[in-house]
Structures are given as C-alpha cells and as structure tokens.
Amino acid sequence: MAFNNRKFSMNRSSGVPRESQRRFSTSEPSQNENNSKIHRQFRNAHEGHRSHAGLDPTRASTGVVWCTERAYEHGFLEDPERWANLGQGAPEVDDDIEGAFERPHTINISMTGREYGPTAGIKPLREAVAKLYNAHHREGKESKYTWENVCIVPGGRAGLIRIAAVLGNSYLGFFIPDYTAYSEMLSLFRNFSAIPTPLAEEDEYHIHPNKVAEEIARGTSVILTSNPRNPTGKMVTNPELAEIQDICRDRATLIMDEFYGGYNYATDCDGTTISAAENVVDVNEDDVLLIDGLTKRFRLPGWRIAWIVGPKEFIKAIGSCGSYLDGGANVPFQEAAIPMLEPDNVLKEMKALQTHFKTKRDYVVERLRDMGFIIKKVPSSTFYLWLDLEGLPEELNDGLSFFQACLEERVIVVPGIFFDLNPSKRRDLFDSPCHHFVRFSYGPKMETLKMGLDGIQRVVNK
C-alpha cells in the first residue's frame, strides 16, 4: 500500500469532482465514480470541515454502522433473515460449535447485581482475568498479574476511550489500515495528536520492529495497534512481537487491541492465544496496555464485557475515569462471566473455536478463488478477508461500488476506505490505497456464508 497512483478526489462540501484544485490526485475521476449514488452518499456523510452549529452528523457512526444504514434502505431491517451480513465484525453466537461450552441462557441477578458496581469492575471478575493471563501467558515468570492490574469495561470501544482519556500530551502513532472505530476515538481528545503510518500491501501490511523504532525516534510516545490485525488478518508473533516490546520499553506506551487473539490458525488450532502479555517483564513497570473481552473469542458481543490489563498505576486511573465516561460494566453479566474464564476451559474453547473458524475460512477462500478473486496469502488470524477488487471490471473494482452491487443481492460487506483511518478528517481519502478493497467477514454461521457467497457470485456473473 502506497500513497501514489491516486484515483480521484472530491469536494467534500458539494460532492462534486474537483476539476482543477484536487488536493492530491494525479488522475481524473472515472465516469462510474462520478455517477455512483453510493459514492455521493459516502461523500455527503463524511464531508470533513463544514461548519455546523450543534450536532455534527459526520461523527455519528463508524464505517460498519454506515454500511448497515445503507442496507436498511434496501430492506435489511424488515427482513434480516434473507440477508447475509458479512460486514459486521461479530462471530456466530449459537451453541453449535463442536467442543465449545454452552453459553448461559439465563442469568441469576444477585442483590449485589442490583446495585451500582465499581467503575473498574467487580473484584472477582478482575481476579479471574488476572488468573487467566497468568496461566496462559505468565507461566514460570516472576512478575504476575493481580486483580489490581485489571479493569473491567463495557466493551472494547469504551476501553479505548478510557485509555485515551488518561494519556498525557503526546504523539500517538497508529497504523493503517486498522479498526474503523479508532478513527472516531482518536478524534475526540486533544491531549494527544494522532500520527498515521501506512503499511505496505506488497509487504502484507506487516508491522516490522524497525518501523516502530522509526516512529519512536521521531517523537511518538504512544503506539496503538490491533494484533491480530483488523481488517487484514495479519498478526505479529514472537520473536518480532517481543522485539517490538523491547523497543517500546521505557520509551513508549504500547496499546494492544487483542480481541482477535484467540482466532489464531498458525499453531495447528492448539488453542494458543496471541498476547503481548507473554513478553512483559514487569507487569507494573512495562507500559503495555492489553484490551480483550468476551466479545470476539467468547462469542458474546451483546454482553459488552471487556477488560484492560496493564500496570496498576494505569489501571487505577482508567478505572476512575469510568465514573464520568461510561459508568462501568453491567454487574450481573460480570458475575456470570467469572466461571467462563477458568484457564483449562478457555484452552478447550479456543481449540474448538480455531478448528471451526479455520474450516469456514478455507471454505470462503476456495469459493472466492473459484469466482476469480486473487487472494495472494490466506490470513492466519481473525475472521476477516481483506479482499482485493482490482481484478474486477471497472464498475465493480472499488469498495463503494462493490458494496452497492452487493446490497442489490442482499449481501453486506464493508468498503476498504473505512479502514484508512482519518482522525479529524485531516486527509483527503478519495484517493485512498484502501479504496479497491472490501472487508469480508466469515464470522457468521456457515449457511449465512454460503448465502452471501452465492450473492457475490451473482454480482460477479452480472
């Protein structure tokens, strides 16, 4: 991925192609892009710097929500069972996966559960999370996590916002493409400046240790990244992950979004979870913050139970700021989560998860390749494919046009442009190197995947 060979540029206020003052483009917009309804809708919803008293609707939704709203316009809300939602980043939640434990169907609400809970989470769940990390990532190490190293938060986004709220004045480095919600979170606060670093498609969007060292050398003191990575399915593992942590130690705070750590297909589906916790030297001295939860690898996105693991000093501040940001996580669901985190049971669950999702990944890749899509390297983690469209005809070979065509067949994907993070809309994204990609999720059940792939087949056949 490189910022050259840019395709087109638009006036954000009017949605009209710039004839003579396009900020960065080197070529004219295509006729298809000029006439495309979906391109006009995208431009109108992401206008950038237009003044607006009161509500700013351009900050109202992430890319996934925007895509869902467009699907509503085509009937998704009225008849969701006839649709294949391959856009939302959610795993299947049924109890049909062989070897996986059954999720609770009812929850006992204790008297404690009726009360306000601590904004850092209830102590028994914090203890259970610390025990899980020590068992899976700190075996044989002198420094161990305790409950004071864990903060329970109401979902991953809430966790990211709490972290952002306690950062000091700094340059925060992030990599693109990455998780769409980072863009909004990085726009909310003025205590740091967000600095993007594009990753190269020809290098499989890999984060090399020397790239992290370069960022720190130019003054970046906070690094934020998902690992495994959304949307590319790439992950950094040891020894490179350990090298990155060594580079950051005493020089930069490392924020690791590890929600997809259980979706690891590189170790023969043995249940191994990827986490930077393994390389932390001192749990209270290494400035490493880890975010995970029940959402992805425990397949309970509706519970909104997540956690942040890190040094006590950070965790205390992150717990306290919940009092004015989100009020804390739901107490009954916290209580119900405790038995799920028993380390041996989690290992069995991860083995079942990896085996099941790898089967789905292989099926999807085979179907797409049979349709003519070029998938150069099969991802070794997450449940996403970063699907290159450049081999398709012009009317389909950009993410927005392909998304529009898929809607006509009741299939939802997410245009790649949303993963070219643009906090505060400081860059012109209509030349984005992510423009010719979509994110395809194989999180849903197999029958949904088959229905969606059949729809994509019809799009390609047209």
Side-chain angles (χ1 to χ4, degrees), residues 17-89:
R18 294 187 179 99
E19 295 298 331
S20 60
Q21 294 183 339
R22 297 194 313 278
R23 291 165 61 195
F24 306 116
S25 296
T26 59
S27 60
E28 295 300 320
S30 70
Q31 189 69 21
N32 179 62
E33 289 159 344
N34 281 340
N35 297 333
S36 167
K37 175 184 175 183
I38 199 69
H39 282 77
R40 291 196 300 272
Q41 284 184 309
F42 177 82
R43 293 194 288 272
N44 289 336
H46 300 80
E47 292 183 87
H49 304 290
R50 185 179 69 175
S51 60
H52 194 302
L55 174 68
D56 179 1
T58 70
R59 303 179 69 170
S61 66
T62 64
V64 173
V65 174
W66 186 85
C67 293
T68 306
E69 290 168 349
R70 302 290 76 73
Y72 289 162
E73 296 167 4
H74 287 71
F76 175 51
L77 188 63
E78 288 75 23
D79 199 5
E81 296 303 316
R82 297 182 63 202
W83 283 70
N85 186 356
L86 311 181
Q88 189 168 23

Side-chain angles (χ1 to χ4, degrees), residues 221-236:
S221 56
V222 181
I223 303 287
L224 166 67
T225 184
S226 58
N227 188 52
R229 294 187 55 71
N230 173 7
T232 61
K234 185 73 178 177
M235 63 179 172
V236 184

Side-chain angles (χ1 to χ4, degrees), residues 117-118 120-122 125 152 303 305 328-339:
I122 62 173
L125 181 56
I152 308 301
W303 282 32
I305 298 295
N330 180 293
V331 173
F333 283 115
Q334 289 188 65
E335 293 174 333
I338 295 167

